[in-house]
Amino acid sequence: MEKKDLRIVYMGTPEFAVESLKRLVEGGYNVVAVITMPDKPMGRHGSVLQGSPVKQYAVSQGLKVLQPENLKEESFVEELRSLQADLQIVVAFRMLPEVVWNMPRWGTFNLHASLLPQYRGAAPINWAVMNGDTETGITTFFLKHEIDTGDIIQQVKVPIADTDNVEMVYDKLMMLGGELVLETVDAILNGTVKSIPQDEIIQPDTELRPAPKIFKETCRIDWSTGVKKVYDFVRGLSPYPAAWTEIKTPDGNHQVLKIFETAKTFEEHEKTIGTMETDGKTYLRVAVEDGYINLLSLQIAGKKRMLIQDFLRGYRFVEGSSVE
């Protein structure tokens, strides 16, 4: 079979999924339809509907776009069946019902932003950085019933530098993911795929780390965990959705603070965990068990993100303030 004869249905929504679709289109593959999320209300009053990044790219290339509310709805399933796809590809979409993922004769494969079986779940990039990992990667695998558990097709490892935040790792994986999707489709077309069940990779002593969806409360900093863990936690949520804490003043007032960038200092001290110190001009730091976390970039509710020097010029720091 030639590339132009392989009928592909592509499913994805955010920017992360655009690169893989772009590689397929530019690689000469026949993408017969793109499935993405319904348009979302945007603007101050939600009066403007905006298509996903994947939809915007698909429309620019003249590709057929489907935006079902319900993936089990019979009208959608019938339309999908009528496309007669040989292969479906999923990148950053949503959980598919079996009637959908089991439809193509060559199956459905997914691109996941971790080295499966590690970090199964919705936020693998964030959790890898938050946990202080020095390596992550991308995986293509065939879908089956349990989420992110299907047979692995290919993997690529990617180092995580100590200075990387989640945005930097995201960008690396997005570009490499596009390459891996193309390589995977090439291998499927050429009949050279030898997939491996994840159970064969998992050893009895393997600790599987999950990657659950991140909510607001997930992002609250626990200052009792020490310098390294707080530092990694912040960069694993930067720039979005952002780690946060509350400044508490001696008179009992509370102020929410988002933190985007920090520096770590290992130093013995006898300060209470959460104590804040500043010279009022160049630094603001928080005492933790084994040293200090220097705040470098942050944002007070209702204000824009700023460097610590700019923040201190406009913020009246109250002696005895702490974070909690």
Side-chain angles (χ1 to χ4, degrees):
M1 182 183 288
E2 300 292 324
K3 285 184 178 182
K4 60 183 177 59
D5 299 319
L6 178 65
R7 298 178 64 82
I8 295 174
V9 168
Y10 186 88
M11 303 182 185
T13 295
E15 179 193 16
F16 189 87
V18 174
E19 184 64 25
S20 295
L21 177 58
K22 183 179 178 183
R23 295 295 184 97
L24 291 168
V25 172
E26 294 179 353
Y29 276 104
N30 180 21
V31 180
V32 296
V34 172
I35 318 296
T36 191
M37 294 288 281
D39 295 354
K40 284 188 174 183
M42 302 294 286
R44 181 173 296 179
H45 304 292
S47 56
V48 178
L49 290 177
Q50 181 172 309
S52 70
V54 163
K55 178 184 178 179
Q56 292 176 41
Y57 176 78
V59 169
S60 76
Q61 299 300 307
L63 301 175
K64 180 181 179 69
V65 176
L66 301 178
Q67 297 176 271
E69 292 277 359
N70 183 352
L71 295 174
K72 293 182 180 179
E73 189 174 331
E74 189 58 33
S75 60
F76 167 69
V77 173
E78 285 304 312
E79 186 168 13
L80 188 61
R81 190 174 284 119
S82 72
L83 294 170
Q84 298 182 310
D86 299 302
L87 178 68
Q88 290 178 160
I89 301 170
V90 182
V91 181
F93 191 46
R94 51 182 166 167
M95 193 169 178
L96 304 182
E98 183 175 359
V99 67
V100 171
W101 62 256
N102 204 26
M103 191 179 294
R105 60 180 180 135
W106 287 359
T108 300
F109 80 81
N110 178 255
L111 175 73
H112 188 72
S114 81
L115 295 173
L116 289 173
Q118 293 295 348
Y119 296 113
R120 295 167 175 165
I125 308 176
N126 295 93
W127 285 104
V129 181
M130 288 160 68
N131 286 333
D133 290 4
T134 57
E135 182 180 72
T136 186
I138 43 176
T139 302
T140 51
F141 68 98
F142 287 113
L143 291 189
K144 68 176 192 179
H145 286 284
E146 294 80 14
I147 189 166
D148 297 335
T149 60
D151 294 358
I152 290 172
I153 306 170
Q154 291 179 278
Q155 290 187 322
V156 175
K157 294 180 179 180
V158 177
I160 302 176
D162 185 60
T163 53
D164 283 346
N165 64 19
V166 74
E167 183 177 50
M168 296 170 187
V169 180
Y170 178 101
D171 288 344
K172 292 179 193 175
L173 296 184
M174 178 174 65
M175 301 307 293
L176 289 171
E179 294 177 16
L180 190 62
V181 164
L182 197 59
E183 289 176 12
T184 300
V185 179
D186 288 344
I188 291 172
L189 183 62
N190 296 331
T192 58
V193 166
K194 293 181 180 179
S195 56
I196 304 171
Q198 291 189 37
D199 288 345
E200 293 185 9
I201 299 174
I202 301 171
Q203 301 299 316
D205 59 346
T206 301
E207 178 193 354
L208 293 183
R209 290 183 165 185
K213 187 174 181 179
I214 291 173
F215 298 95
K216 181 181 178 182
E217 200 53 40
T218 313
C219 302
R220 185 166 192 157
I221 298 170
D222 179 357
W223 296 99
S224 70
T225 57
V227 170
K228 178 71 165 65
K229 288 190 175 180
V230 172
Y231 173 80
D232 292 336
F233 187 83
V234 170
R235 66 193 182 97
L237 293 166
S238 179
Y240 182 83
W244 64 276
T245 191
E246 281 188 312
I247 298 177
K248 181 181 178 181
T249 58
D251 58 5
N253 287 328
H254 287 74
Q255 175 72 63
V256 174
L257 184 71
K258 285 186 177 181
I259 302 174
F260 300 95
E261 187 180 1
T262 66
K264 52 186 186 290
T265 302
F266 293 96
E267 180 182 319
E268 289 187 7
H269 63 77
E270 296 182 356
K271 305 282 194 318
T272 301
I273 291 174
T275 300
M276 303 184 79
E277 297 180 349
T278 182
D279 64 354
K281 296 179 181 180
T282 60
Y283 76 86
L284 176 61
R285 67 182 188 177
V286 177
V288 294
E289 185 177 21
D290 53 348
Y292 296 93
I293 292 291
N294 290 274
L295 310 185
L296 304 182
S297 175
L298 43 74
Q299 181 181 11
I300 284 282
K303 303 291 184 180
K304 66 179 182 179
R305 174 178 172 174
M306 60 187 77
L307 296 176
I308 191 62
Q309 294 87 346
D310 297 326
F311 173 78
L312 289 173
R313 272 198 289 269
Y315 181 75
R316 180 178 165 270
F317 180 79
V318 180
E319 194 68 33
S321 295
S322 61
V323 291
E324 58 179 35

